[in-house]
Amino acid sequence: MLTAAHCLNDNDRWKRLAFAPGWKPDPANPNRGVAPYGIFPIVPGKLYIDGRYLTQGPSKADDLDFAFMRVGPNAKGQFLENATGMGNTLTTLSSQQLSQKNVSLFGFPGGSKAPLVCPSTKTTGFSGRFLKIACKGYAGGVSGGPFLRNFDGQRGDVIGVIGGWKTGGTIDDESYSSQFDADIIRLYNQAVNDYEPDKPTGGTMGTGDLWKHATGAVSGSFHTSSQEFGDSDLIVKWDDGEVTLYPGDQNFGFYAGCKPDEPCETQLAKANDMWKKYADVITAGDYAGTNAYDLMVKWVDGEVTIYPDVSQNTKLPTALDQHLPNEINLAAADSVFKYARGFATGKYGGNQWPDDLIVRWSDGEVTKYTDIDAAGLHAEEQLAAPNDLWQTANLITGGDLDGDSNGATPNHDLLVVWASGKVSVFPDVNTGRLQNESVVASSPTWTYARVIALGEYGMNDWEDDLFVRWSDGEVTVYGNTQADGLGREYQLVPPGKAGFAATANGAVRRDDPCAKVCGPELYRRSH
């Protein structure tokens, strides 16, 4: 079965999926659909997406937006072609053949019980690697619908599926497909020969064994290339004291190294004992009120320091007798912040600035400070009294998971990873206490999350993309995460090898219970 890659992700290979060919309205009840040939389950694990698409995502790898799935028998024991007859003919096109005649387009707009059919029309080439077709009304939900050339009422030559450029286009009346070339034939051969599917290959950010040493990460618009549009970058603190800035690429990833015409990964502080031994908790926001992001550091002795206007040109101090001329001392040594265990900066005060701070304390108390500035901390509000539950909040971060922070009264949300493996969101913290908890995920997998940060790493205007560094060094981003569910997963760094045990099913963690009960390759999955 052929569809678009952006409809799926690597985790979907372990979900219970099925195919219902010929789906149409029930004549006896138009509000329901019927599957005249039966339901055909997708064979678990047999989902074929190009590894480059899994790694690079729908923007960078938009010319690889197609996928195959192996289909098992229906309830009668029939295989797909035995029930439906021969399928459509997979047909490739060269870059000079993207303009085609007599092409029909099919798709199911969201909620539709019957396919929308655009009869015989033509395609044109777009950017030398996409098909473009003008058919009206192809709204969200049509992705994966086929471009069929010479359709005879039963079948035709499948020359595309809705996807590719901008995952199928930006308006309902124009649809796109990635070019079908040798890349789709390779995937097709994998599927029909029952080969092992591609896996994400990881990006350019190094290895999992390197990223095991990342002890903290914060999101903010630091690089001058990001400040213009409010895009998010990542600052990482390492266990040797080094501090590194990774500019965001707006495709759920980050620039690493230096290439022509790209922002550079930058070292803000070389490896040093001060950051190694004494930097405890970091966060970032616009506390100084200069429309640039500042880095806040809580040191182990309770001192809290703000380094304003951090950019790729900043050199952070690396010794106790060094200070930036504009740095702000927010709390003195031996302050109550010795007992702070987690920081989450956001827009919790009702204005447009990310200058409010939620603190999780060692006794489980949770408090909020609004409108932090050079004059200090203000307006402390207790969100939760000391309690046992919040002592188990392992990680906290702030962002906008319900898309309502760009209005006159921004409302940022708090995301929490609990010791139990539950991940939950407390929406709109500026409206009151911690309430209306929404569970995003709940799995032993999340007990292995070590560093998190919410930011605007994708292509929308909300801080709803969740960066995670796992205990095995794997780094992933869940793009467009919502208050009721994780977004699409992008692997930026594959797991490290050290500390893994070889088994018949591959390398798994020695101490991971999921390796025993969840099956091969599920040790880092949430399903």
Side-chain angles (χ1 to χ4, degrees):
M1 190 190 76
L2 172 64
T3 187
H6 77 263
C7 298
L8 305 159
N9 66 42
D10 195 41
N11 282 348
D12 286 326
R13 69 179 71 245
W14 307 111
K15 292 181 181 177
R16 293 171 60 87
L17 304 176
F19 177 44
W23 184 265
K24 60 183 180 181
D26 184 345
N29 184 352
N31 293 321
R32 298 182 58 185
V34 295
Y37 302 103
I39 305 295
F40 296 81
I42 304 304
V43 179
K46 300 303 182 180
L47 187 157
Y48 296 86
I49 304 174
D50 194 292
R52 292 166 292 178
Y53 192 93
L54 292 171
T55 298
Q56 299 173 27
S59 178
K60 288 183 179 178
D62 53 8
D63 59 343
L64 298 168
D65 194 0
F66 34 70
F68 291 97
M69 291 183 276
R70 284 183 66 85
V71 180
N74 64 12
K76 296 180 179 179
Q78 295 174 306
F79 286 100
L80 184 59
E81 285 200 355
N82 292 334
T84 65
M86 185 184 72
N88 298 300
T89 302
L90 181 64
T91 304
T92 59
L93 301 174
S94 71
S95 297
Q96 290 73 42
Q97 296 175 315
L98 299 178
S99 295
Q100 294 285 314
K101 298 179 180 179
N102 195 25
V103 179
S104 300
L105 186 67
F106 298 76
F108 282 82
S112 174
K113 297 296 187 296
L116 179 63
V117 181
C118 178
S120 182
T121 184
K122 63 181 180 179
T123 64
T124 57
F126 181 77
S127 293
R129 57 199 180 104
F130 302 104
L131 295 177
K132 177 181 177 181
I133 195 167
C135 289
K136 292 186 176 181
Y138 281 72
V142 298
S143 291
F147 290 57
L148 293 182
R149 187 183 63 187
N150 301 327
F151 179 62
D152 64 4
Q154 296 292 323
R155 52 191 54 84
D157 303 324
V158 58
I159 60 173
V161 291
I162 298 175
W165 186 74
K166 302 295 185 183
T167 62
T170 58
I171 60 175
D172 294 349
D173 298 342
E174 292 179 352
S175 299
Y176 297 79
S177 171
S178 301
Q179 177 187 351
F180 281 10
D181 54 16
D183 290 317
I184 197 170
I185 296 299
R186 184 185 71 85
L187 279 188
Y188 175 76
N189 287 333
Q190 278 188 343
V192 297
N193 291 300
D194 199 17
Y195 293 156
E196 186 70 15
D198 287 2
K199 299 289 175 58
T201 58
T204 60
M205 295 178 66
T207 67
D209 289 323
L210 168 67
W211 278 85
K212 289 179 184 179
H213 299 284
T215 58
V218 296
S219 172
S221 299
F222 300 108
H223 198 282
T224 50
S225 65
S226 301
Q227 292 174 10
E228 181 179 359
F229 301 105
D231 300 332
S232 291
D233 311 311
L234 193 74
I235 287 180
V236 178
K237 180 177 75 72
W238 304 88
D239 61 9
D240 63 357
E242 184 180 9
V243 182
T244 309
L245 168 62
Y246 291 92
D249 66 4
Q250 285 304 285
N251 189 37
F252 308 105
F254 305 93
Y255 293 109
C258 283
K259 295 181 180 180
D261 302 320
E262 288 184 356
C264 283
E265 170 193 353
T266 306
Q267 186 186 71
L268 303 181
K270 63 183 180 181
N272 65 92
D273 282 346
M274 184 178 82
W275 285 81
K276 174 181 179 179
K277 295 179 179 179
Y278 305 118
D280 187 19
V281 180
I282 60 174
T283 187
D286 183 11
Y287 317 110
T290 55
N291 291 316
Y293 267 71
D294 318 313
L295 181 65
M296 181 187 293
V297 184
K298 194 274 282 191
W299 307 91
V300 293
D301 62 359
E303 184 177 1
V304 180
T305 305
I306 292 176
Y307 298 103
D309 303 348
V310 172
S311 74
Q312 73 272 20
N313 301 314
T314 300
K315 291 299 179 185
L316 295 168
T318 56
L320 296 176
D321 60 351
Q322 296 177 358
H323 300 277
L324 295 184
N326 61 345
E327 75 181 41
I328 300 167
N329 185 260
L330 208 62
D334 205 33
S335 77
V336 68
F337 279 90
K338 288 192 298 186
Y339 305 104
R341 296 294 179 264
F343 282 177
T345 294
K347 301 173 184 178
Y348 308 120
N351 63 29
Q352 61 181 314
W353 312 112
D355 59 0
D356 312 309
L357 181 69
I358 291 175
V359 182
R360 198 276 283 179
W361 302 90
S362 59
D363 61 0
E365 183 181 12
V366 182
T367 60
K368 179 177 71 174
Y369 299 89
T370 55
D371 301 333
I372 295 171
D373 56 24
L377 298 160
H378 309 287
E380 181 181 14
E381 176 187 359
Q382 186 184 68
L383 301 179
N387 64 91
D388 292 340
L389 173 63
W390 277 89
Q391 291 183 44
T392 67
N394 280 358
L395 303 167
I396 64 173
T397 185
D400 180 14
L401 299 167
D402 54 9
D404 63 358
S405 288
N406 290 325
T409 30
N411 294 296
H412 264 187
D413 317 308
L414 181 69
L415 184 141
V416 183
V417 178
W418 303 88
S420 64
K422 182 176 72 169
V423 182
S424 56
V425 170
F426 295 88
D428 302 344
V429 180
N430 75 329
T431 61
R433 296 181 180 273
L434 298 167
Q435 54 192 0
N436 301 324
E437 178 183 11
S438 173
V439 177
V440 175
S442 185
S443 165
T445 296
W446 283 89
T447 64
Y448 295 101
R450 295 294 180 265
V451 177
I452 63 172
L454 276 168
E456 186 188 323
Y457 307 129
M459 291 164 278
N460 63 24
D461 294 328
W462 301 284
E463 297 90 347
D464 61 357
D465 309 310
L466 179 61
F467 170 93
V468 185
R469 195 277 284 176
W470 302 90
S471 60
D472 59 12
E474 183 178 4
V475 175
T476 54
V477 166
Y478 292 90
N480 301 326
T481 291
Q482 305 296 304
D484 58 357
L486 293 170
R488 182 191 180 100
E489 182 181 15
Y490 299 90
Q491 185 189 69
L492 306 185
V493 178
K497 296 179 180 178
F500 282 58
T503 72
N505 294 321
V508 297
R509 289 192 190 88
R510 292 185 177 92
D511 60 347
D512 190 348
C514 197
K516 301 180 178 65
V517 300
C518 301
E521 297 301 319
L522 284 190
Y523 60 87
R524 244 285 298 117
R525 302 300 176 202
S526 57
H527 302 288

